[in-house]
Amino acid sequence: DTAVSQTPKYLVTQMGNDKSIKCEQNLGHDTMYWYKQDSKKFLKIMFSYNNKELIINETVPNRFSPKSPDKAHLNLHINSLELGDSAVYFCASSLTASAAKIRQETQYFGPGTRLLVL
Amino acid sequence: RKEVEQDPGPFNVPEGATVAFNCTYSNSASQSFFWYRQDCRKEPKLLMSVYSSGNEDGRFTAQLNRASQYISLLIRDSKLSDSATYLCVVKPRLGSWGKLQFGAGTQVVVTP
């Protein structure tokens, strides 16, 4: 029944390590996103893929590399983890309006991955 | 100036009372507006979209004021289960591929 799922839910790791977070959605959506929510609770978009194509790439260190093997999956790999990477990472998905239509697409969020870098 | 600003609260509300709060946005060309709700240690979930004419969903009423660039949320007859952080969300422009801008949230605490 889970619509957007993420693994792992919790990730505690040492500085300098490389880690991956996986996301899957079973809603039939064509667009997926990665957000970072820091300790001040701001949700900031990092990346978005539409039909496996990267369409949003915010100012994010290139230690972060997203990969979308298919429309239903969007993974996030982080190299050389730093203390400042500690945050909650949310995956989301939506069915995106075409450019010709005005439609307010809803984004559905996964449960989040709590990353703590020590 | 932040793109989406909210009073962080907390708004302490007795059960059954009404609470209202606003959110301001900086981009006058913004097209779509939403309120999301985020419970403690959970993911954000869409509460309601905000339409130009204002809209109501049960006890929740959302308003948009384009001239002053703010949206509001009013909760009537507050329930304990309404305790959450309410995130104001703005989509900057048409075709911006779902690039939503989130406020930091307004915390509401409903007390018995």
Side-chain angles (χ1 to χ4, degrees):
Chain A
D1 268 337
T2 306
V4 183
S5 59
Q6 293 179 231
T7 53
K9 278 189 114 167
Y10 300 94
L11 188 48
V12 181
T13 188
Q14 300 285 334
M15 235 170 30
N17 284 349
D18 303 338
K19 290 291 177 188
S20 290
I21 310 172
K22 296 186 179 210
C23 178
E24 176 180 1
Q25 54 93 5
N26 62 5
L27 296 166
H29 289 165
D30 59 356
T31 305
M32 295 183 73
Y33 312 82
W34 276 113
Y35 286 88
K36 178 180 179 181
Q37 188 170 40
D38 59 25
S39 55
K40 292 193 174 119
K41 304 299 182 190
F42 267 108
L43 257 168
K44 287 208 72 176
I45 190 156
M46 301 172 69
F47 303 103
S48 177
Y49 274 75
N50 175 257
N51 286 318
K52 301 195 298 174
E53 185 185 334
L54 182 65
I55 52 169
I56 296 174
N57 186 355
E58 291 295 281
T59 310
V60 174
N62 57 15
R63 298 181 294 103
F64 290 78
S65 50
K67 274 203 174 59
S68 182
D70 56 59
K71 281 197 310 185
H73 295 84
L74 180 61
N75 304 324
L76 183 65
H77 187 76
I78 316 170
N79 286 327
S80 304
L81 277 154
E82 299 178 358
L83 295 177
D85 297 333
S86 297
V88 183
Y89 292 83
F90 287 102
C91 176
S93 73
S94 69
L95 191 61
T96 303
S98 67
K101 289 184 182 175
I102 300 172
R103 185 155 55 94
Q104 296 187 347
E105 65 269 17
T106 301
Q107 291 189 16
Y108 293 84
F109 284 78
T113 295
R114 279 159 182 78
L115 172 64
L116 178 60
V117 183
L118 302 173
Chain B
R1 186 185 168 186
K2 295 192 182 80
E3 288 153 333
V4 180
E5 294 208 58
Q6 294 183 249
D7 181 341
F11 284 66
N12 293 299
V13 187
E15 205 174 355
T18 296
V19 61
F21 41 89
N22 294 340
C23 150
T24 57
Y25 59 95
S26 60
N27 185 347
S28 60
S30 296
Q31 293 293 328
S32 306
F33 308 89
F34 311 86
W35 283 105
Y36 273 70
R37 170 195 169 128
Q38 187 172 23
D39 292 311
C40 188
R41 300 182 70 78
K42 298 282 190 183
E43 71 272 23
K45 289 183 180 174
L46 179 70
L47 178 67
M48 57 198 300
S49 301
V50 187
Y51 302 114
S52 298
S53 52
N55 47 298
E56 200 172 291
D57 183 359
R59 298 180 293 106
F60 296 84
T61 301
Q63 296 278 354
L64 166 64
N65 185 318
R66 283 193 186 272
S68 302
Q69 291 180 215
Y70 74 84
I71 67 173
S72 64
L73 182 67
L74 182 144
I75 309 174
R76 276 187 305 278
D77 187 23
S78 299
K79 312 283 183 204
L80 295 176
S81 57
D82 295 334
S83 297
T85 296
Y86 291 84
L87 305 173
C88 174
V89 184
V90 175
K91 187 174 175 185
R93 55 185 168 84
L94 280 177
S96 54
W97 287 109
K99 189 177 170 180
L100 302 180
Q101 292 167 336
F102 284 77
T106 296
Q107 188 184 5
V108 171
V109 179
V110 182
T111 54

